[in-house]
């Protein structure tokens, strides 16, 4: 029973490290990268003036009344 805690802790620390690295990689490639690509695709064709005119026509802005 000597050094049982030390041996088990070493095993669990190594396991926890690999699990955390795996989770970080899954998040990066499963969530963050697709989100970056989606934002890049959206802003590639985004026209802010067209969006402003649509919101203005809908009456969203108080300082810019609809035409």
């Amino acid at each position: 029973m000597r050094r049982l805690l030390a041996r088990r802790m070493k095993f669990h620390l190594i396991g926890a490290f690999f699990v955390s690295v795996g989770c970080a990689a899954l998040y990066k490639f499963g969530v963050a990268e697709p989100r970056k690509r989606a934002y890049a695709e959206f802003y590639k064709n985004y026209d802010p003036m067209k969006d402003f005119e649509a919101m203005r026509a809908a009456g969203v802005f108080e300082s810019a009344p609809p035409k």
Side-chain angles (χ1 to χ4, degrees):
M1 296 286 271
R2 284 190 171 183
R3 292 181 292 275
L4 178 64
L5 178 63
R7 277 186 282 148
R8 300 290 292 179
M9 186 173 293
K10 184 178 179 182
F11 173 76
H12 284 108
L13 282 174
I14 292 170
F17 174 76
F18 285 116
V19 167
S20 64
V21 168
C23 288
L26 281 173
Y27 180 80
K28 177 175 175 45
F29 295 113
V31 176
E33 291 298 323
R35 188 176 290 170
K36 284 182 194 177
R37 282 194 299 273
Y39 273 104
E41 183 65 30
F42 175 77
Y43 282 110
K44 191 183 301 181
N45 302 319
Y46 180 65
D47 183 14
M49 289 307 295
K50 180 180 171 186
D51 200 27
F52 171 73
E53 291 300 329
M55 287 190 283
R56 183 178 184 180
V60 173
F61 303 118
E62 291 179 13
S63 61
K67 289 185 177 180

